[in-house]
Amino acid sequence: MAGDRTRERPRSQASAGDLLHLVRSGRAITRGALQEATGLSRATVGQRLDRLFRAGWLREGAGGPAGAPTGGRPSLRLEFDDAHAVVLAASLDTRHARAALLTLTGELLAERSGALSVDEGPERVLGALGGWFAGLLKEAGRSADAVCGIGLGVPGPVDTATGRVVQPPIMPGWDGYDIRGRLGRAFAERTGGAGGSGDAAGVPVLVDNDANLMAYGEQRTGHPDCAAFALVKVSTGIGAGVVVGGQIYRGIDGGAGDIGHIRVPEGAGTLCRCGSYGCLAAVASGRALARRLTEAGVPAESGSDVRELLAEGHPEAVRLAREAGRSVGEVLATVVTLLNPGVLMIAGDLAGTPFLTGVRELLYQRALPRSTAHLDVVTARLGERSALVGAGALVVEHLYAPDRAEERLAALGL
């Protein structure tokens, strides 16, 4: 969630964007409360709210309790109007993708999933997503003009300033590619909407690592009061997302959370797709388990195949998943000691009982009791939709942050 931007400038200079933030955060939901929070006069608050009303971003709802102890008419409640626009979101895995149309408060209006391999390259994959977006809008009966932004999760490290992936181990052909520009054009070509994510006239496109977006969606939806939240996605690869103080922690260039490439003793001599030997992903990911199952005479190609075998209770898959959980749990003991999170969430294809049991065995054995005394180790609540919800939330928080909201209001002539 965006920080309290009203503290970054004198209260008397609080903008319409600051007022919107106060309403959306629940800190001030009446005109009187906004006056008290900002120090602005009644007339100035009214003028700035009028800009938000004309943009369709705020509305006045049913009255609440009277603001003054002496009584009087109930104050009208100010509410963020989530009906004025929609958000498109998509999440890529190595062999599958999901896409959705969401309201500004995260409700799914339409959804699609299917086979789409990142190995086909960004031109083909992002072009296909443009077609998916057109289908979602048609299904929900919404126009392209209603879309205020697009969010995309990818299985690799992302420089969020540029929206480009940086040396992704499992995304051949994507390194440094202009994802935002191509997806913006694909959206425009297939829907007739405004294209070109880099310019002011186009629909903005935000790109982030899929584990980051999964963590953001899960934290905001199920654990909003958790100050330090960590999610580990174990599917074809392994990655982690961290949310601290309501914000995604990405490191200096998007590389935070790439725990799949930490070296582990049991991986010595095993080649990882990144080109190194001994990575955690080379021995404990869905891809690694699929390889070992195939060698044992049980055909499997990816994490999704392993997930199906686990759902069937296949004994060798169960054994390997628990063993993989132990390997991941040993690495997570260090992660938990460093971050001291309140929630550690396991997500992805392997996030079932056998894997979780293995994680807990090694995590509690290796980590200091002080680090795990207040730790909840859980599985994802949103399942395969967590990255979509996180992508949608990321777009909304970006577009309606105080400074960005001011820019958009000015562009609307308000």
Side-chain angles (χ1 to χ4, degrees), residues 110-382:
E111 185 179 12
R112 174 174 175 176
S113 64
L116 193 60
S117 174
V118 294
D119 288 346
E120 296 180 32
E123 189 74 19
R124 160 83 175 81
V125 170
L126 298 175
L129 284 181
W132 287 22
F133 289 162
L136 292 171
L137 288 168
K138 182 177 181 180
E139 179 182 340
R142 306 300 294 263
S143 71
D145 292 341
V147 178
C148 65
I150 299 170
L152 174 67
V154 298
V158 176
D159 179 352
T160 54
T162 64
R164 300 171 188 254
V165 292
V166 182
Q167 299 178 1
I170 58 175
M171 299 179 69
W174 291 72
D175 187 20
Y177 185 85
D178 182 15
I179 295 175
R180 295 193 307 199
R182 174 65 180 116
L183 189 54
R185 291 192 300 273
F187 167 77
E189 291 164 2
R190 300 302 295 271
T191 68
S197 61
D199 58 24
V203 173
V205 178
L206 274 63
V207 185
D208 210 328
N209 173 263
D210 57 351
N212 285 346
L213 295 180
M214 292 171 72
Y216 197 49
E218 293 281 358
Q219 188 269 340
R220 289 173 59 86
T221 302
H223 306 273
D225 297 325
C226 182
F229 177 96
L231 177 145
V232 178
K233 178 192 176 187
V234 188
S235 291
T236 297
I238 300 176
V242 177
V243 179
V244 177
Q247 300 285 337
I248 298 173
Y249 178 75
R250 301 182 178 91
I252 60 171
D253 62 3
D258 202 4
I259 66 170
H261 300 285
I262 293 175
R263 307 290 178 83
V264 293
E266 60 269 38
T270 304
L271 180 64
C272 180
R273 286 197 70 182
C274 72
S276 298
Y277 287 87
C279 295
L280 178 65
V283 296
S285 66
R287 185 188 301 275
L289 267 60
R291 183 189 69 248
R292 295 173 65 182
L293 285 165
T294 300
E295 292 170 352
V298 184
E301 295 183 11
S302 67
S304 58
D305 293 335
V306 177
R307 178 181 60 190
E308 293 175 5
L309 290 168
L310 289 171
E312 297 168 2
H314 191 284
E316 183 64 6
V318 169
R319 183 186 71 81
L320 290 175
R322 182 165 180 171
E323 186 178 305
R326 290 172 60 86
S327 296
V328 173
E330 187 155 11
V331 170
L332 290 180
T334 300
V335 172
V336 165
T337 301
L338 177 66
L339 294 178
N340 189 209
V343 175
L344 173 62
M345 179 172 285
I346 308 299
D349 290 330
L350 303 190
T353 300
F355 186 88
L356 191 62
T357 298
V359 167
R360 285 175 168 152
E361 285 177 5
L362 263 290
L363 173 61
Y364 288 105
Q365 179 182 330
R366 296 282 195 261
L368 291 173
R370 172 69 182 81
S371 300
T372 58
H374 304 288
L375 175 68
D376 290 330
V377 182
V378 299
T379 53
R381 296 177 56 182
L382 298 175

